[in-house]
């Protein structure tokens, strides 16, 4: 009878070396099948900003003083998305495709999957081993969002690209390599990728700021020897490409005739700070605050009114009251494992549960299995956030930058519009890389300190233990 059961070590070894876990193609096939199933079954017309941009992209023209003209004057940050979706709409018509929504969802899926691939590459470079199956929790968490074509997901490959290019450039600075085409090419590409990320989500610049702050700290401390000529060239090329793209973009917006933008109607940063202090909405979107700010028709009058309302709210809070509000708001910003799924008004504008009833029961309002989807996402999210905290075991330059980016995002959401976990999506590459490496380093720590004492631990950690000293040495060299 005893021979019918495999020892733990042999069982783990067989699982880890099975064809399933050794083949990335199986993971890719399962992921694409799942995502296409989601697009086919739960993809539908959406509300809130996604629906507005899609509506505008399909319009023959946008007259002055119309709802759409005023919307984009208030929110010019969405103009890049508008022109992109309009280009996709014309391509859809040209090729005779009839379902524009599905086309956008497929493009969104491609963007998300490129981000997943880049995250996998970054993890493989950092841990010196293939880690693609470790992406499975992230795939489950993010995949439903492919049917919501908006900047939250479209920005993901560019955030991941910033991380990858920034890491490569830092290594080139360390290596003392002479000026070459590879460095110049990556510096220019970083400028372009950062500009696209900025146009989609201005908050993407948080990672650039974190990179510069950490770089300044190690230069002041003289912890690492870096090739200063390469650094200066990188900064110059990055600035030229980023600035050039911004100038061309501003000129193109002024010259296009599809929609006229009134710059005086733009919602100012003070508006989002004011909205972020709304106790009734826990700092999330407030229609009352929107109407308050937009009733002023010049930037100067709006700024004055917003600052007045901010002072009033601060006085009403008091010091302790405001600190308590920030604690509550931070919980609202980070606690929802579904990342704000169904939390926006008119999330799905056609909430039809009869069509594709089984799949929609997991993802639609009033679905009988919606609680299952929420429970799975919540468990995954808790494990991811625990991994972020465990990432403090990894002290290399990249992970100091990523942690500073994560906490920078938390601070940004505390003082500006927040109140929902959807705003965490944009930095999922940062969060998930921290989480995976955090759990990996925790496993190393437990093994090297002999906390793991089961028979299968040798299979899991023997190879890791051989590299611990080498990786620690590399960490010291990187500051």
């Amino acid at each position: 009878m005893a021979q019918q059961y495999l020892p733990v070590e042999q069982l783990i070894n067989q699982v880890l070396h099975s064809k399933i876990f050794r083949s990335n193609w199986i993971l890719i096939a399962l992921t694409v099948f799942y995502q296409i199933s989601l697009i086919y079954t739960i993809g539908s017309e959406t509300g809130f900003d996604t629906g507005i941009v899609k509506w505008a992209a399909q319009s023959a023209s946008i007259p002055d003083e119309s709802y759409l003209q005023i919307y984009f004057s208030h929110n010019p940050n969405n103009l890049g998305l508008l022109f992109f979706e309009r280009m996709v709409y014309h391509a859809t018509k040209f090729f005779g495709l009839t379902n524009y929504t599905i086309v956008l969802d497929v493009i969104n899926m491609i963007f998300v999957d490129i981000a997943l691939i880049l995250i996998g590459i970054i993890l493989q470079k950092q841990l010196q081993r293939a880690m693609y199956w470790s992406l499975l929790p992230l795939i489950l968490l993010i995949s439903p969002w492919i049917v919501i074509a908006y900047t939250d997901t479209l920005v993901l490959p560019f955030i991941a690209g910033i991380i990858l290019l920034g890491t490569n450039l830092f290594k080139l600075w360390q290596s003392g390599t002479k000026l070459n085409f590879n460095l110049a090419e990556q510096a220019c590409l970083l400028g372009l990728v950062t500009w696209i990320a900025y146009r989609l989500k201005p908050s993407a610049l948080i990672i650039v700021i974190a990179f510069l702050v950490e770089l300044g700290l190690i230069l002041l401390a003289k912890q690492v020897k870096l090739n200063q000529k390469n650094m200066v060239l990188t900064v110059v090329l990055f600035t030229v490409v980023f600035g050039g793209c911004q100038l061309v973009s501003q000129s193109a917006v002024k010259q296009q005739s599809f929609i006229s933008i009134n710059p005086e109607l733009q919602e100012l940063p003070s508006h989002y700070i004011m909205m972020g202090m709304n106790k009734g909405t826990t700092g999330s979107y407030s229609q009352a605050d929107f109407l308050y700010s937009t009733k002023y028709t010049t930037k100067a009058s709006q700024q004055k009114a917003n600052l007045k309302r901010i002072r009033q709210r601060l006085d009403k809070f008091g010091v302790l009251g405001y600190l308590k509000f920030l604690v509550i708001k931070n919980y609202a910003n980070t606690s929802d494992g579904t990342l704000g799924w169904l939390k926006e008004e008119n999330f799905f504008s056609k909430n039809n549960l009869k069509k594709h009833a089984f799949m929609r029961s997991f993802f639609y309002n009033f679905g009988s299995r919606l609680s299952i989807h929420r429970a799975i996402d919540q468990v995954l999210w808790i494990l991811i956030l625990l991994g972020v905290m465990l990432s403090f075991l990894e002290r290399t330059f990249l992970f100091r930058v990523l942690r500073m980016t994560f906490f920078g995002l938390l601070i940004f959401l505390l003082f500006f519009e927040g109140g929902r976990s959807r705003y965490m999506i944009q930095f999922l590459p940062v969060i998930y890389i921290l989480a995976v490496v955090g759990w990996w380093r925790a496993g190393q720590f437990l093994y090297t300190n002999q906390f793991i004492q089961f028979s299968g631990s040798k299979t899991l950690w023997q190879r890791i233990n051989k590299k611990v000293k080498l990786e620690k040495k590399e960490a010291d060299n990187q500051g």
Side-chain angles (χ1 to χ4, degrees), residues 369-431:
R369 299 176 181 88
L370 181 59
S371 59
I372 297 174
H373 167 227
R374 286 175 172 168
I376 292 171
D377 280 359
Q378 197 64 45
V379 171
L380 294 175
W381 186 240
I382 290 170
L383 292 173
I384 288 169
L385 291 183
L386 283 173
V388 171
M389 301 311 296
L390 291 171
S391 74
F392 278 93
L393 295 168
E394 177 63 52
R395 301 174 183 177
T396 55
F397 174 78
L398 171 63
F399 289 89
R400 295 202 303 270
V401 170
L402 296 184
R403 278 192 295 273
M404 185 177 289
T405 301
F406 175 69
F407 289 108
L409 174 65
L410 295 185
I411 293 170
F412 178 83
L413 294 178
L414 281 179
F415 294 108
F416 289 82
E417 180 189 355
R420 63 195 73 185
S421 297
R422 180 171 69 85
Y423 299 116
M424 305 294 285
I425 295 174
Q426 60 188 299
F427 278 118
L428 275 179
V430 172
I431 296 167

Side-chain angles (χ1 to χ4, degrees), residues 30-145:
L30 291 174
T31 300
V32 172
F33 175 78
Y34 176 57
Q35 291 175 338
I36 291 175
S37 298
L38 289 174
I39 291 173
Y40 179 72
T41 57
I42 73 171
S44 180
E45 297 300 325
T46 54
F48 66 107
D49 296 271
T50 65
I52 296 172
V53 176
K54 194 185 300 181
W55 168 27
Q58 298 175 84
S59 300
S61 62
I62 298 179
D64 290 347
E65 304 302 322
S66 65
Y67 174 85
L68 290 174
Q69 190 265 343
I70 294 172
Y71 170 84
F72 284 102
S73 294
H74 289 321
N75 304 279
N77 55 301
N78 275 340
L79 282 172
L81 180 61
L82 167 63
F83 295 132
F84 172 74
E85 290 196 6
R86 184 161 176 78
M87 179 182 68
V88 172
Y89 175 69
H90 284 300
T92 302
K93 300 290 285 184
F94 178 80
F95 289 107
L97 302 175
T98 57
N99 196 319
Y100 175 57
T101 297
I102 286 183
V103 172
L104 282 180
D105 290 347
V106 170
I107 291 172
N108 197 25
M109 180 188 81
I110 293 170
F111 274 59
V112 168
D113 289 346
I114 291 172
L116 291 170
I117 292 169
L118 292 176
I119 292 169
I121 291 171
I122 294 165
L123 289 171
Q124 185 172 5
K125 282 177 173 287
Q126 296 303 312
L127 300 176
Q128 299 299 311
R129 53 187 59 83
M131 298 293 295
Y132 288 100
W133 279 93
S134 68
L135 296 173
L136 189 58
L138 180 58
I139 291 169
L140 294 174
L141 195 69
I142 193 61
S143 286
W145 286 92

Side-chain angles (χ1 to χ4, degrees), residues 308-463:
K308 180 181 178 181
R309 181 61 61 89
I310 289 170
R311 286 192 292 268
Q312 290 173 346
R313 288 182 175 175
L314 280 174
D315 291 340
K316 189 174 181 179
F317 272 123
V319 176
L320 293 178
Y322 186 54
L323 291 175
K324 180 181 177 181
F325 169 74
L326 291 180
V327 172
I328 295 171
K329 186 181 179 184
N330 186 66
Y331 177 78
N333 289 341
T334 59
S335 61
D336 183 5
T338 69
L339 303 175
W341 185 259
L342 299 177
K343 295 298 174 67
E344 304 292 342
E345 186 178 357
N346 295 322
F347 195 86
F348 288 114
S349 55
K350 298 177 181 179
N351 198 40
N352 184 356
L353 280 167
K354 293 181 179 179
K355 187 178 181 181
H356 305 298
F358 177 75
M359 287 293 286
R360 292 191 176 190
S361 68
F362 288 94
F363 299 102
Y364 272 44
N365 266 325
F366 311 111
S368 59
R369 299 176 181 88
L370 181 59
S371 59
I372 297 174
H373 167 227
R374 286 175 172 168
I376 292 171
D377 280 359
Q378 197 64 45
V379 171
L380 294 175
W381 186 240
I382 290 170
L383 292 173
I384 288 169
L385 291 183
L386 283 173
V388 171
M389 301 311 296
L390 291 171
S391 74
F392 278 93
L393 295 168
E394 177 63 52
R395 301 174 183 177
T396 55
F397 174 78
L398 171 63
F399 289 89
R400 295 202 303 270
V401 170
L402 296 184
R403 278 192 295 273
M404 185 177 289
T405 301
F406 175 69
F407 289 108
L409 174 65
L410 295 185
I411 293 170
F412 178 83
L413 294 178
L414 281 179
F415 294 108
F416 289 82
E417 180 189 355
R420 63 195 73 185
S421 297
R422 180 171 69 85
Y423 299 116
M424 305 294 285
I425 295 174
Q426 60 188 299
F427 278 118
L428 275 179
V430 172
I431 296 167
Y432 201 72
I433 291 168
L434 287 172
V436 172
V437 174
W439 281 110
W440 189 262
R441 294 304 181 214
Q444 283 187 329
F445 176 81
L446 292 173
Y447 179 73
T448 54
N449 289 277
Q450 297 184 346
F451 287 105
I452 298 178
Q453 296 292 329
F454 64 93
S455 61
S457 64
K458 184 177 179 180
T459 302
L460 289 171
W461 302 107
Q462 189 176 41
R463 294 181 181 179

Side-chain angles (χ1 to χ4, degrees), residues 171-334:
K171 288 181 178 179
L172 287 172
W173 299 343
Q174 277 186 298
S175 66
T177 305
K178 295 181 180 179
L179 300 179
N180 56 51
F181 179 76
N182 183 32
L183 185 142
E185 182 183 37
Q186 294 202 51
C188 292
L189 187 57
L190 179 61
L192 176 62
V193 168
T194 304
W195 176 78
I196 296 172
Y198 167 74
R199 289 298 300 167
L200 291 169
K201 286 285 187 186
S203 51
L205 290 183
I206 292 172
I207 192 170
V208 178
I209 295 170
F211 186 90
L212 293 175
V213 170
E214 275 295 340
L215 185 61
L217 290 174
I218 65 171
L219 289 175
L220 287 173
K222 298 181 179 179
Q223 294 176 333
V224 180
K225 186 177 180 180
L226 300 176
N227 188 313
Q228 294 187 1
K229 288 183 179 179
N230 286 351
M231 288 176 56
V232 171
L233 175 66
T234 301
V235 172
V236 170
L237 291 175
F238 173 89
T239 304
V240 168
V241 173
F242 185 95
C245 288
Q246 185 65 6
L247 289 173
V248 170
S249 171
Q250 291 174 346
S251 175
V253 169
K254 289 179 181 178
Q255 293 179 16
Q256 57 83 32
S257 58
F258 177 63
I259 180 172
S260 61
I261 300 299
N262 183 352
E264 290 296 318
L265 298 181
Q266 181 179 352
E267 292 171 355
L268 302 174
S270 58
H271 163 75
Y272 294 103
I273 295 173
M274 178 192 73
M275 191 179 288
M277 298 172 66
N278 190 315
K279 188 175 181 180
T281 62
T282 323
S284 62
Y285 177 80
S286 164
Q287 182 68 9
D289 285 343
F290 169 77
L291 295 174
Y292 173 81
S293 291
T294 55
K295 70 182 179 182
Y296 298 97
T297 56
T298 65
K299 287 184 177 180
S301 60
Q302 183 194 151
Q303 179 80 345
K304 183 177 179 181
N306 290 341
L307 293 176
K308 180 181 178 181
R309 181 61 61 89
I310 289 170
R311 286 192 292 268
Q312 290 173 346
R313 288 182 175 175
L314 280 174
D315 291 340
K316 189 174 181 179
F317 272 123
V319 176
L320 293 178
Y322 186 54
L323 291 175
K324 180 181 177 181
F325 169 74
L326 291 180
V327 172
I328 295 171
K329 186 181 179 184
N330 186 66
Y331 177 78
N333 289 341
T334 59

Side-chain angles (χ1 to χ4, degrees), residues 461-475:
W461 302 107
Q462 189 176 41
R463 294 181 181 179
I464 300 171
N465 191 41
K466 291 179 181 179
K467 295 186 177 181
V468 168
K469 291 183 180 180
L470 178 61
E471 290 175 346
K472 285 183 178 179
K473 185 178 179 180
E474 291 176 353

